[in-house]
Amino acid sequence: MSTARIARVALPLPKPRLFDYLVEAHEGLAVGLCVRVPFGPGEKTGVIVALDPADAPPRDKLRTVREVLLELPPLPAQWLAMAEFAARYYQHPLGEVIATALPPGLRRAVRLPREDDPLLAATAAGRAALAAASKLTRALAAVSLVCSAGSMRRAMLLEQLDNARPGAASEGIRQARNKGWLEVLAPGSNIVAVDSFQANAEQAAAIERIGAALGRFESFLLHGITGSGKTEVYLQLIARCLLQGRAALMLVPEIGLTPQLLERVAGRFPGARLVALHSGLADGARSRGFVQALRGEVDIVLGTRLSVFVPLPNLGLIVVDEEHDASFKQQEGLRYSARDLAVWRARQESVPVVLGSATPALESWLAADSGRYTRLSLSQRAVAEAPPSVRLIDTRRLKLDQGLSPQMVDALRLRLERGEQSLVFLNRRGYAPVIACPSCNWISACPHCSANMVFHQVDAILRCHHCGAEAPVPRTCPDCGSHDVMAFGRGTQRLEERLGEYFPAARILRVDRDAVKTPAQWAFVREQIDTGQVDILVGTQMLAKGHDFPRLTLVCIVGADASLYSSDYRAPERLFQQLMQVSGRAGRAELPGEVLIQTAFVDHPLFHKLTEHDFPGFAALQLAERRQAGFPPYSHHAVLRAEASDLAQALDFLKHARELALSLQGAVRLFDPVPMRLVRRARLERAQLVVEADSRPALQAMLSEWMRQLYEVRLARDLRWHLDVDPGDL
Ligand code: ADP
Ligand code: ZN
Ligand code: ZN
């Protein structure tokens, strides 16, 4: 091994350190390659992050790399730089950051032969066959998907057809081609479709302004109510980006990656190599998209938060739609914010980034106020004349029937008579949040969590929404034997039941995570809604996001008050975002919309701003409160959480951590360790310690020093801890 070099490798281990190995020098050996290395008695896969580092230990102390995986091109330097930044900023071991950022099962996937990905279009015969069909065969399903998008890459079509059974899907495509229903378009067919909307004045101004920034870094905050045409702005910008021969990355919330959006993008860019990525995708498909992107064979990546890590050698534009959405923040492992990383990445790669929302995060709004982001606004709906009218119903002097006021019932009846759709929004699934015994005060507490088990009447079961534990519904009180055990409060199931009693002839559909679990179920629900087979929708925030309901004219909001005076300082911001979003569902095109909100706090400023559709006003109020209280975005937080079977143990660890922190220099404030609000979850007791600083650099400096020490602390056997930088909640 005279020609051996030293490779510094990041391995997926919960330790903030890198490992050095000998590796035979050969052509193509480079930083960014994946390697298999011996580790202890076993073996691990990692990524080379440096070659021949100056501070390597003596060679005779080093083991040798088993295999360099050359099928995969090396991860680009910019990609590694982003991983290193994330590791530094979120105080997470680099090897684990890289393991999070790479799709699982990448090694298997890269062994797939490089295949040509033909662009398919439907023939006249295909369209005729589709029109004449009475039953959708797999071949016809392929034709219909291609038709709806204009044309489609084969790989995309495969994923759309049937994720679970790729064999059957490719057989369907083969049949359609053999029958002459699908044809392969010649390479070089136009990448951008011609038909886009004539942008209105505000859209045109935004497109011009952002378009002029292509080729350099600038952050834009695109503020526009639902339906104001933000997506249209993104699409026209993506078109410009593609015409410059560069790739676009568009991030959407977890629930925002709907077939509708996918079709809209695929339909606009029929010739583009489009990759859609989300966590529900099979490992193989995820890896394939990642590798294609890495090879520079992808024009558009459309995906959820994990897509921020997709390498695009020729990146030209980043879009983050619904940038305020909580799903951009990962809540486990590497607790990163995909929105914040997107902005960092845009700066590093010198491309513009567009953050779009009807209700931007206050962090982003403040950044625009201070000029760090360029604010652009779309103030009108692109097609409907007016935003919905929002009316408050004062519940203080009303007798509610299962949470429904007479006004709401009347409004629902009116829509039924007119043949229009309504949506009743209640952000709590299940039948009732708890069942209890009035005789002895027994309640359906979860044995593993400090929470109650929710009564699910549909499955006749009690279920904990925190740990998933289930229990039978007792007929008599388990403690005193009383027969009077009762369901208290209400969830979507109970609301659905009561609405069914009011309106026996109405077609009522409940949409929540219990009723709709798979993409196929979603597609079915959408189909029913779109084709007018539903009169009243009852649902949770699942219904609030990213879907157009053309026949919907009434939105009823039941019971939003709990969030008004929550102990979480972000609760009002979240509530406003949610209510604004769900309100945006009402009224489209020629049908004006109405929103009814029941509340005991009709004078609350949040509702005033909501009735006036005044997000800027609301943001100003909230920011003033936050500034006064010294909360983010005027300060910066990190929270150290510990969990153990015994609360005292978790608290002891945090007390020790606090002592370590006190001995460090740095302009930070340390709070006291406290039990978390939901102190017990899945049999573990949880506590937390908040660190606050006026500036990010001050916080970062303290954290990196602190973490070095914390990784050295010997832990009690069942104690676990993690750090969350810029936490979503406290
Ligand atoms: P947003 O993303 O802000 O909710 P969309 O881009 O989805 O808004 O636009 C809302 C609706 O208006 C869509 O049906 C879209 O096709 C239509 N639309 C957008 N821009 C225009 C335009 N300039 N002219 C006509 N229709 C438009
Ligand atoms: Zn009892
Ligand atoms: Zn539980």
Side-chain angles (χ1 to χ4, degrees), residues 197-200 203 225-232 264 382-383:
F197 290 106
Q198 176 74 43
N200 64 34
Q203 284 175 320
I225 55 169
T226 306
S228 61
K230 295 185 295 298
T231 309
E232 184 60 32
R264 198 165 160 193
V383 280

Side-chain angles (χ1 to χ4, degrees), residues 196-201 203 222 224-236 264 268 321-322 358 378 380-384 548 585 588:
S196 55
F197 290 106
Q198 176 74 43
N200 64 34
Q203 284 175 320
L222 181 63
I225 55 169
T226 306
S228 61
K230 295 185 295 298
T231 309
E232 184 60 32
V233 170
Y234 309 147
L235 292 178
Q236 297 202 21
R264 198 165 160 193
R268 183 66 64 88
D321 188 29
E322 309 283 0
L378 306 179
Q380 260 133 49
R381 283 193 176 191
V383 280
D548 292 343
R585 304 292 135 221
R588 284 265 147 164

Side-chain angles (χ1 to χ4, degrees), residues 48 105 145 151 194 218 228 429 452 522 535 538 573 582 724:
I48 302 179
L145 278 168
S151 61
V194 276
E218 187 169 348
S228 61
R429 63 200 168 89
N452 293 325
W522 235 135
D535 300 313
V538 181
E573 178 184 3
V582 68
D724 192 346

Side-chain angles (χ1 to χ4, degrees), residues 24-204:
E24 187 129 14
H26 57 77
E27 208 189 332
L29 181 65
V31 167
L33 284 170
C34 289
V35 287
R36 271 188 324 119
V37 297
F39 191 85
E43 169 174 291
K44 288 199 178 292
T45 303
V47 171
I48 302 179
V49 295
L51 282 168
D52 304 319
D55 56 347
R59 289 172 172 252
D60 56 358
K61 295 261 191 303
L62 298 180
R63 300 172 80 180
T64 303
V65 165
R66 292 229 169 107
E67 189 190 358
V68 181
L69 304 169
L70 287 164
E71 303 91 332
L72 191 67
L75 294 158
Q78 287 190 320
W79 190 92
L80 284 172
M82 176 159 66
E84 276 163 8
F85 168 76
R88 237 179 8 257
Y89 187 82
Y90 294 106
Q91 307 290 339
H92 206 73
L94 179 60
E96 285 201 332
V97 171
I98 289 176
T100 307
L102 294 177
L106 187 62
R107 283 186 46 212
R108 253 170 300 134
V110 296
R111 290 175 198 279
L112 292 174
R114 183 174 183 143
E115 63 184 73
D116 189 32
D117 191 7
L119 178 62
L120 301 170
T123 60
R127 288 171 198 276
L130 192 62
S134 58
K135 186 170 151 285
L136 206 61
T137 63
R138 212 171 280 278
L140 283 169
V143 176
S144 92
L145 278 168
V146 172
C147 274
S148 69
S151 61
M152 207 184 258
R153 295 277 168 191
R154 184 175 175 281
M156 186 76 199
L157 180 58
L158 266 179
E159 261 152 47
Q160 291 284 293
L161 265 179
D162 190 346
N163 228 327
R165 297 179 54 210
S170 64
E171 178 58 21
I173 299 175
R174 206 181 57 78
Q175 282 171 4
R177 284 175 67 172
N178 285 348
K179 287 181 198 282
W181 292 347
L182 290 178
E183 61 180 350
V184 177
L185 291 183
S189 306
N190 240 344
I191 193 166
V192 178
V194 276
D195 54 333
S196 55
F197 290 106
Q198 176 74 43
N200 64 34
E202 285 179 323
Q203 284 175 320

Side-chain angles (χ1 to χ4, degrees), residues 330-456:
Q330 173 139 309
Q331 302 287 3
E332 58 186 31
L334 173 67
R335 290 168 163 78
Y336 66 98
S337 155
R339 177 192 64 216
D340 295 352
L341 282 183
V343 175
W344 189 89
R345 181 172 179 182
R347 177 191 296 276
Q348 186 212 19
E349 304 205 24
S350 297
V351 302
V353 57
V354 185
L355 310 180
S357 177
T359 51
L362 291 176
E363 280 80 359
S364 306
W365 195 254
L366 183 66
D369 282 349
S370 70
R372 270 197 301 130
Y373 295 175
T374 305
R375 180 165 24 222
L376 301 166
S377 298
L378 306 179
S379 59
Q380 260 133 49
R381 283 193 176 191
V383 280
E385 311 82 60
S389 68
V390 180
R391 207 149 54 83
L392 300 177
I393 299 173
D394 187 345
T395 55
R396 279 172 300 183
R397 275 174 217 93
L398 286 177
K399 197 167 161 341
L400 300 184
D401 176 2
Q402 283 307 340
L404 293 169
S405 59
Q407 288 93 321
M408 232 172 226
V409 175
D410 288 345
L412 286 164
R413 182 171 294 120
L414 185 66
R415 295 318 186 286
L416 284 171
E417 284 164 11
R418 289 202 214 139
E420 296 169 9
Q421 270 171 358
S422 309
L423 186 165
V424 184
F425 177 79
L426 174 63
N427 213 0
R428 189 190 293 134
R429 63 200 168 89
Y431 184 84
V434 65
I435 67 170
C437 168
S439 313
C440 77
N441 292 333
W442 173 86
I443 57 168
S444 55
C446 174
H448 313 308
C449 305
S450 44
N452 293 325
M453 295 182 100
V454 176
F455 175 33
H456 285 252

Side-chain angles (χ1 to χ4, degrees), residues 225-391:
I225 55 169
T226 306
S228 61
K230 295 185 295 298
T231 309
E232 184 60 32
V233 170
Y234 309 147
L235 292 178
Q236 297 202 21
L237 284 166
I238 291 173
R240 288 198 184 194
C241 170
L242 298 190
L243 287 172
Q244 294 185 358
R246 306 186 80 178
L249 171 62
M250 179 164 165
L251 304 181
V252 296
E254 207 61 70
I255 207 166
L257 191 52
T258 57
Q260 269 175 316
L261 178 65
L262 208 51
E263 272 169 28
R264 198 165 160 193
V265 178
R268 183 66 64 88
F269 306 108
R273 295 161 301 179
L274 171 64
V275 162
L277 287 178
H278 52 90
S279 51
L281 222 51
D283 284 359
R286 237 180 101 179
S287 299
R288 195 164 53 235
F290 189 95
V291 173
Q292 283 172 332
L294 181 57
R295 286 176 178 157
E297 296 167 5
V298 169
D299 302 306
I300 305 173
V301 172
L302 180 62
T304 53
R305 65 170 176 263
L306 52 92
S307 314
V308 77
F309 290 114
V310 173
L312 287 162
N314 205 11
L315 182 66
L317 172 72
I318 305 180
V319 172
V320 184
D321 188 29
E322 309 283 0
E323 62 92 34
H324 64 278
D325 194 273
S327 74
F328 286 122
K329 170 87 179 173
Q330 173 139 309
Q331 302 287 3
E332 58 186 31
L334 173 67
R335 290 168 163 78
Y336 66 98
S337 155
R339 177 192 64 216
D340 295 352
L341 282 183
V343 175
W344 189 89
R345 181 172 179 182
R347 177 191 296 276
Q348 186 212 19
E349 304 205 24
S350 297
V351 302
V353 57
V354 185
L355 310 180
S357 177
T359 51
L362 291 176
E363 280 80 359
S364 306
W365 195 254
L366 183 66
D369 282 349
S370 70
R372 270 197 301 130
Y373 295 175
T374 305
R375 180 165 24 222
L376 301 166
S377 298
L378 306 179
S379 59
Q380 260 133 49
R381 283 193 176 191
V383 280
E385 311 82 60
S389 68
V390 180
R391 207 149 54 83

